[in-house]
Amino acid sequence: MDSSFDPNSIEQSLYAEWEAAGHFSPNGNGKNYCVLIPPPNVTGTLHMGHAFNQTLMDTLIRYQRMKGSRTLWQMGTDHAGIATQMLVERRLNEQGIKRLELGREKFVDEVWQWREESGGTIKEQIRRMGSSLDWSRDRFTMDEGYAKAVLTVFERLYDEGLIYRGQRLVNWDPELGTAISDLEVENTDEQGHMWHFRYPLADGQQTAAGQAYLTVATTRPETMLGDTAVAVNPDDPRYRDLIGGQVELPLTGRIIPIIADTYVDMEFGTGCVKITPAHDFNDHEVGHRHNLPQINIFAPDATINNNAPAAYQGLTREAARKAVVDDLEKLGLLDKIEPHALKVPRGDRSGAVIEPLLTDQWFVKIGPLAEPAIAAVENGDIEFVPKQYENVYFSWMRDIQDWCISRQQWWGHQIPAYYDDSGNTYVASSEQAAREKYQLDAGIPLRQDPDVLETWFSSALWPFATLGWPDETPELEAFLPSSTLITGHDIIFFWVARMIMMTLHFTGKIPFKTVYIHGLVRAADGNKMSKTKGNGLDPLDFIDGITLDELLAKRTTNLTQPKMAPKIEQATRKDFPDGIPPYGTDALRFTFCALATTGRDVRFDLNRIEGNRNFINKLWNATKFVLMNIDGMDPDSSGERSIIDQWILSKCHTLVREVEFALATYRFDIFAAKIYEFAWHEYCDWYVELSKSVLWDDTVTQDIKNGTRRTLVEVLDALLRISHPVIPFITETLWQEVAPRLGQPRGSIMVQAYPAPDDYPANTTAEAQIDWLKSVITAVRNIRGEADIKPKQEVPLLFQGGDENDRKLAAATDAMLKRLANAGSVNWLDEQAEAPPHALALVGDLKVMVPLAGLIDVEAEATRLEKEIEKHKQDLNRVDAKLLNENFVSKAPADVVAKEKAKRDDLQGRLTTLEDQLKKLDTLG
RNA sequence: AGGCGCGUAGCUCAGUUGGUUAGAGCGCUGCCUUGACAUGGCAGAGGUCGGCGGUUCGAAUCCGCCCGUGCCUACCA
């Protein structure tokens, strides 16, 4: 074996072997365990969020598989309607091809073509992550079977009256030319203006203050062209008398009423609100209450349409705004313009300002679906981890609005609704089916609704559509409900809530029992990773490494804002002066696991992955050591287990218990930390070092050597199996070397049994004994370190005081003590004997002494002692203060008080000893 | 405006039901190329747990207020 491991040389071939061996498919007779993958965009590429998400899922899946469960991690990809259509459209534009000129059919062909070309990318990247997905059952949200499920759901919901079509005010993305749902609107804080306009009162009326006009304030001047009323609060004394009157709407020549509505806040602005029912959600409701006409002044691209005065027709929103303000100013009707901070609704895909627009759309009547979905979480059938996300879920679900599911797009499931010439609607999975269902004559022309369903409508069916629904399949029976859903908090509403509603409604089952919510992966500076900011990181670059030049090229090409390039380049050069070295998949996965703390966002820290790469390397070298030192091991006998063997086995027992608890409670960070701590600081730092005293000592019996050799291998084997779920590649590689030494049948580690706690006997006596040994060794090392004694320099060691147990332990561990403390000799002094001048450390009542004798400077030792004494004094003060507090002594539980008393006595004794020692040193100095 | 988080060592984060001396990784300091590993070993420094007040014998932990910060939801024109 090489002196350090090379991830690239092992990972890819192993994955191919696993996949070929069929290990990723459900096997065996264990309990069913299923995890749903949030289906990635089929034409996308893997980002840090996927890598994080999949690491956690794969860790659970591999763990369960080793525990004997019949596991299914269903693979699949999403057609990602809007995102994909945008991308393909942009690519075509670059070739000078316009979507509308190309036509629907050819465009959709282009998208399928693009899927063929790029659809494999993300799948290969997922494989590089080591994700043990069942590829044999790979699905796509637009494959034939899935489409059947989507159409079935639509038709049934329609027949049940839970899907309806109607003209409603919806969020309209003028750039994409489609409606979007509430969730797809992002409200961004922006700096704008508030315009105050004067609307002249009709019929010579006057306000209470004697003005012949009402002043309205607005952030959207251009919409005044569609105003159909001015509203005031019914209790507002300034305007009360004008209610029922009228104003002349400037620029349009229209006369509109003054209405009273409590929606108007008297305190805000002027207390007069222009009402534009066709272009504002609030105004829309006010309009409904007062039977106001709705005047739509926008075309689908948000230019002014023919309902507005001729002067403004054809203008963009922005141009119309300027024109309206200018014209009102000329008329002397512009009162003032104030700066104003406002929320601007923008489409999450296009970034365009969203326009509330009256259009015909399809909706899901969500109330009846939401009710059982809320109950399922309330009654505990579905559980969120961490629990607080249940409140997030509830608050949204209890105030949920009907869901707009139609999109004026071409890429997606076309809505299975057919219209005849008289405007009748027929819903069925195909035109043929519609004719049969509604008994329509073949001669009646039907045309299908041109719109498609939004992507989340189909991904909401994921838990059952992937398993063959609407057919009754064995998979559906076995794997619904699934066990755990692992996902980011950003898609609780988009995906999680909708899966719960749809799955309950159509199967009567919950989609999953547990929802584990993890945070989002952020850049080291805490910002969201984005192409625009140029702070994005590609998980593959951590696996394979990347040069600075390549990274620069990646981050600065195809920018939407090319002017950012120099800034991005500068930051990149600063953060990655040498690019990124290849850390390998295991290091990346281990890092994600370690960072996965309870539901909060994670900042991806480069130092962490480097440290974890080193950890992988540590495992490599520990294995190398073991393989080099177990020659002569008797495979048929476990030999005699010495104290150190019993100790590490006991530690291993504890480790298994801890990692099982960590995974059961979704504490991936603890899972990783326990493995790291055990492997490095118990097994490598202590056990391997201690084992040398056994293996390299000719006076030790073969039986004892055999015991240690067995234990080295057995614990290593356990460690590899324990950590396999998170670091699959290195553990497989090493286990293939290690397992044969234990005479185990060959095969992949991924299908071996997960260690059970009782495979490794707990032994508290051995643990106490090794704790003692560690303390003594650490004490001597401390003296050596502080006194700058060279590691090669042997020191004589003197013991004094202590009890029988100390003597027994010292005798039993003599060789190890000498080796790890590099002590040339260990001798006991009688209680009364006068020790030579020495450096002193205390382990319990035992005095551990290193004679100064030319090795140690008196000054230095005095300084070290003073430091030690100071520490003891502080502790003693703290304890004394407690014990002198009568309230503490009388009110605290007796055992707590007793503990404090014991502590005081102990500290007092040690302090006296140390002070005496310092006095003696002073007489020397 | 509401709701939910967060604020612990230079940095990134743990800290279970209040009870030894508040931990880890990275970084830092000193020594060390010892026969698994310099992607390493040993030793060490470093924290008034955001602030104030309260409950308690005892608070990083529970309560209140404040400051800072992040996210989600919301109809203030």
Side-chain angles (χ1 to χ4, degrees):
Chain A
M1 289 172 76
D2 296 334
S3 71
S4 63
F5 92 110
D6 169 27
N8 280 327
S9 67
I10 58 173
E11 294 181 352
Q12 304 204 42
S13 58
L14 281 182
Y15 192 92
E17 285 172 30
W18 291 331
E19 191 178 345
H23 292 324
F24 299 159
S25 300
N27 284 314
N29 308 311
K31 73 177 166 83
N32 293 311
Y33 186 90
C34 176
V35 169
L36 301 171
I37 190 173
N41 179 345
V42 66
T43 63
T45 51
L46 196 77
H47 56 60
M48 293 295 274
H50 294 127
F52 180 38
N53 180 247
Q54 288 177 20
T55 295
L56 302 185
M57 288 187 284
D58 197 44
T59 298
L60 279 190
I61 276 285
R62 285 179 183 270
Y63 171 68
Q64 286 293 336
R65 194 181 286 121
M66 291 177 77
K67 293 281 282 180
S69 298
R70 187 164 169 267
T71 55
L72 172 62
W73 188 12
Q74 167 77 47
M75 177 54 200
T77 49
D78 193 273
H79 68 279
I82 290 182
T84 306
Q85 172 158 340
M86 273 177 70
L87 192 93
V88 173
E89 194 166 350
R90 197 181 308 146
R91 285 170 54 85
L92 288 172
N93 284 344
E94 281 164 13
Q95 301 165 38
I97 304 171
K98 294 270 176 270
R99 173 171 66 98
L100 290 172
E101 290 165 11
L102 196 62
R104 181 165 189 152
E105 205 170 316
K106 281 186 178 154
F107 179 79
V108 171
D109 284 348
E110 285 288 335
V111 182
W112 279 104
Q113 185 61 37
W114 169 241
R115 174 185 172 275
E116 282 306 307
E117 285 169 32
S118 66
T121 304
I122 197 162
K123 294 184 186 177
E124 279 316 304
Q125 292 175 320
I126 289 171
R127 286 180 163 93
R128 293 300 312 278
M129 284 302 298
S131 302
S132 56
L133 284 147
D134 188 351
W135 297 95
S136 70
R137 308 175 43 81
D138 189 12
R139 296 298 299 272
F140 176 52
T141 54
M142 279 186 51
D143 68 35
E144 202 180 321
Y146 208 102
K148 183 175 160 194
V150 171
L151 297 180
T152 305
V153 163
F154 187 94
E155 184 179 353
R156 285 200 198 164
L157 285 176
Y158 179 80
D159 291 343
E160 291 165 14
L162 293 176
I163 277 184
Y164 64 90
R165 183 169 190 258
Q167 192 174 63
R168 298 283 185 282
L169 201 56
V170 295
N171 301 297
W172 183 265
D173 187 322
E175 198 171 306
L176 297 175
T178 180
I180 57 177
S181 75
D182 296 345
L183 285 177
E184 292 165 290
V185 179
E186 287 174 349
N187 292 301
T188 58
D189 281 308
E190 290 178 31
Q191 207 42 243
H193 296 92
M194 181 82 89
W195 285 267
H196 294 249
F197 297 143
R198 292 171 180 170
Y199 287 1
L201 288 160
D203 313 321
Q205 298 171 99
Q206 285 196 341
T207 65
Q211 289 163 331
Y213 53 83
L214 289 180
T215 306
V216 298
T218 181
T219 56
R220 299 285 316 270
E222 66 280 13
T223 64
M224 64 84 65
L225 299 172
D227 284 0
T228 55
V230 171
V232 299
N233 190 288
D235 298 325
D236 194 330
R238 293 172 293 182
Y239 312 116
R240 204 162 37 200
D241 295 340
L242 296 172
I243 294 165
Q246 293 174 318
V247 295
E248 297 169 13
L249 185 64
L251 310 180
T252 66
R254 296 208 309 271
I255 302 287
I256 59 175
I258 300 166
I259 60 170
D261 198 290
T262 50
Y263 158 69
V264 179
D265 179 356
M266 284 186 277
E267 310 295 317
F268 189 87
T270 60
C272 301
V273 183
K274 61 189 273 304
I275 301 297
T276 322
H279 297 295
D280 181 281
F281 288 100
N282 294 313
D283 291 7
H284 191 71
E285 302 213 343
V286 174
H288 259 290
R289 286 199 285 275
H290 298 269
N291 276 319
L292 298 175
Q294 304 179 359
I295 302 179
N296 178 8
I297 59 157
F298 286 124
D301 62 354
T303 58
I304 304 295
N305 69 14
N306 297 345
N307 293 332
Y312 306 100
Q313 288 174 14
L315 295 179
T316 63
R317 289 177 288 185
E318 295 75 18
R321 172 174 300 181
K322 189 170 183 310
V324 165
V325 172
D326 285 351
D327 292 347
L328 285 171
E329 186 171 19
K330 279 180 208 147
L331 293 170
L333 297 175
L334 176 62
D335 189 60
K336 60 178 170 180
I337 306 174
E338 294 174 322
H340 182 74
L342 72 162
K343 296 276 193 189
V344 177
R346 290 184 179 274
D348 64 354
R349 292 287 168 194
S350 67
V353 176
I354 295 306
E355 202 63 64
L357 201 67
L358 276 168
T359 48
D360 284 313
Q361 302 291 344
W362 288 90
F363 295 86
V364 173
K365 190 175 168 191
I366 210 81
L369 296 172
E371 236 173 88
I374 292 169
V377 177
E378 277 174 340
N379 67 24
D381 289 349
I382 298 173
E383 201 176 2
F384 280 70
V385 179
K387 198 105 183 143
Q388 72 234 28
Y389 283 104
E390 289 183 3
N391 291 327
V392 176
Y393 172 81
F394 286 139
S395 64
W396 187 70
M397 290 291 282
R398 285 171 183 154
D399 190 33
I400 197 168
Q401 305 295 311
D402 281 0
W403 176 17
C404 176
I405 51 171
S406 45
R407 296 290 179 272
Q408 287 64 53
Q409 297 255 303
W410 289 349
W411 176 240
H413 294 280
Q414 193 170 349
I415 289 175
Y418 299 84
Y419 308 110
D420 64 19
D421 289 340
S422 359
N424 295 310
T425 303
Y426 308 103
V427 171
S429 58
S430 67
E431 184 179 331
Q432 183 59 32
R435 288 187 192 278
E436 285 169 22
K437 180 176 172 184
Y438 294 95
Q439 297 180 325
L440 299 175
D441 191 88
I444 298 175
L446 291 177
R447 61 197 156 71
Q448 186 173 3
D449 192 300
D451 293 352
V452 298
L453 290 163
E454 90 144 305
T455 304
W456 296 106
F457 186 87
S458 51
S459 30
L461 319 183
W462 193 251
F464 52 100
T466 51
L467 298 175
W469 190 92
D471 298 335
E472 286 177 24
T473 64
E475 289 85 356
L476 200 58
E477 179 62 32
F479 296 112
L480 185 75
S482 65
S483 310
T484 309
L485 181 75
I486 300 188
T487 192
H489 56 68
D490 52 333
I491 55 173
I492 292 177
F493 307 144
F494 280 111
W495 193 47
V496 180
R498 286 163 178 170
M499 279 193 289
I500 296 174
M501 291 190 278
M502 288 298 198
T503 310
L504 279 170
H505 188 75
F506 284 99
T507 69
K509 292 184 183 177
I510 53 171
F512 27 73
K513 300 183 190 102
T514 306
V515 183
Y516 173 79
I517 301 290
H518 62 246
L520 273 32
V521 183
R522 298 181 171 278
D525 58 5
N527 283 312
K528 221 169 162 175
M529 288 189 189
S530 76
K531 177 81 182 164
T532 318
K533 285 185 195 134
N535 62 353
L537 291 168
D538 182 340
L540 271 298
D541 292 342
F542 285 105
I543 295 174
D544 294 331
I546 187 169
T547 64
L548 175 62
D549 287 341
E550 287 168 330
L551 186 60
L552 285 172
K554 211 167 178 173
R555 283 184 161 190
T556 55
T557 51
N558 290 327
L559 287 178
T560 42
Q561 297 174 41
K563 63 174 190 287
M564 291 291 291
K567 228 177 167 176
I568 291 171
E569 175 168 344
Q570 199 187 354
T572 303
R573 284 185 186 280
K574 182 169 162 286
D575 293 342
F576 305 96
D578 304 311
I580 300 172
Y583 291 118
T585 301
D586 288 327
L588 180 62
R589 289 172 56 119
F590 196 84
T591 302
F592 277 130
C593 222
L595 288 171
T597 59
T598 52
R600 59 193 261 176
D601 289 354
V602 300
R603 296 189 184 198
F604 196 83
D605 183 359
L606 205 64
N607 293 323
R608 290 294 290 262
I609 191 171
E610 184 175 338
N612 291 328
R613 187 270 319 259
N614 296 350
F615 172 66
I616 308 293
N617 187 53
K618 191 77 179 173
L619 290 179
W620 175 274
N621 277 291
T623 302
K624 205 170 85 177
F625 172 86
V626 171
L627 295 174
M628 283 167 65
N629 284 282
I630 55 172
D631 288 337
M633 182 177 91
D634 180 352
D636 300 321
S637 156
S638 57
E640 184 184 344
R641 309 273 187 176
S642 68
I643 170 177
I644 60 169
D645 304 330
Q646 293 169 34
W647 165 73
I648 197 68
L649 287 167
S650 183
K651 283 286 184 186
C652 191
H653 171 90
T654 308
L655 174 66
V656 179
R657 294 174 66 120
E658 287 172 337
V659 297
E660 295 218 297
F661 184 71
L663 287 183
T665 52
Y666 302 97
R667 287 302 302 265
F668 296 96
D669 57 330
I670 293 177
F671 177 69
K674 292 295 178 190
I675 289 171
Y676 187 101
E677 162 71 18
F678 176 87
W680 201 316
H681 299 308
E682 300 292 359
Y683 188 77
C684 290
D685 286 351
W686 286 103
Y687 184 64
V688 164
E689 292 307 319
L690 290 168
S691 76
K692 291 173 182 173
S693 301
V694 175
L695 302 177
W696 299 354
D697 183 344
D698 292 340
T699 66
V700 174
T701 69
Q702 280 307 313
D703 212 28
I704 288 178
K705 285 190 179 184
N706 205 38
T708 294
R709 287 175 185 142
R710 288 285 302 201
T711 310
L712 273 171
V713 188
E714 283 175 8
V715 174
L716 179 58
D717 159 61
L719 176 61
L720 293 173
R721 282 184 287 134
I722 288 166
S723 40
H724 176 260
V726 57
I727 44 176
F729 294 109
I730 187 74
T731 50
E732 177 76 292
T733 305
L734 298 178
W735 195 80
Q736 290 305 324
E737 303 290 330
V738 169
R741 305 299 192 106
L742 286 169
Q744 300 201 4
R746 295 287 273 208
S748 170
I749 190 177
M750 66 176 287
V751 291
Q752 305 301 317
Y754 202 76
D758 290 340
D759 297 348
Y760 308 92
N763 188 326
T764 50
T765 313
E767 290 205 30
Q769 290 174 332
I770 298 300
D771 281 347
W772 179 90
L773 178 63
K774 282 178 169 183
S775 300
V776 175
I777 290 170
T778 304
V780 178
R781 282 173 172 177
N782 175 268
I783 291 172
R784 299 183 58 113
E786 297 283 299
D788 266 351
I789 298 174
K790 302 293 177 199
K792 276 184 173 168
Q793 174 71 54
E794 283 188 348
V795 296
L797 219 55
L798 294 173
F799 287 160
Q800 192 176 33
D803 56 17
E804 248 339 276
N805 195 40
D806 290 320
R807 286 167 193 275
K808 255 171 59 188
L809 287 172
T813 60
D814 185 66
M816 299 179 242
L817 197 53
K818 283 177 177 159
R819 169 179 285 275
L820 296 197
N822 198 17
S825 61
V826 177
N827 290 297
W828 284 84
L829 288 182
D830 286 342
E831 196 66 47
Q832 295 78 16
E834 187 65 27
H838 59 270
L840 173 72
L842 295 171
V843 175
D845 292 332
L846 178 68
K847 286 182 178 178
V848 177
M849 301 179 284
V850 178
L852 303 184
L855 282 172
I856 305 174
D857 183 56
V858 175
E859 291 281 314
E861 171 60 8
T863 309
R864 195 186 65 85
L865 271 179
E866 277 161 9
K867 210 165 66 183
E868 195 74 0
I869 287 168
E870 191 50 40
K871 227 188 275 176
H872 277 71
K873 277 185 176 167
Q874 279 178 15
D875 290 349
L876 193 58
N877 283 342
R878 217 186 329 256
V879 178
D880 271 341
K882 269 191 193 177
L883 288 169
L884 287 172
N885 182 344
E886 272 184 45
N887 279 324
F888 173 74
V889 179
S890 60
K891 292 188 181 171
D895 60 317
V896 174
V897 178
K899 227 161 147 189
E900 291 294 318
K901 279 186 178 159
K903 194 162 77 186
R904 181 186 57 188
D905 295 347
D906 179 53
L907 280 170
Q908 188 63 64
R910 296 165 67 92
L911 184 58
T912 308
T913 311
L914 291 169
E915 283 176 328
D916 287 351
Q917 171 67 7
L918 185 59
K919 270 183 217 151
K920 281 183 202 160
L921 275 185
D922 284 345
T923 64
L924 288 173

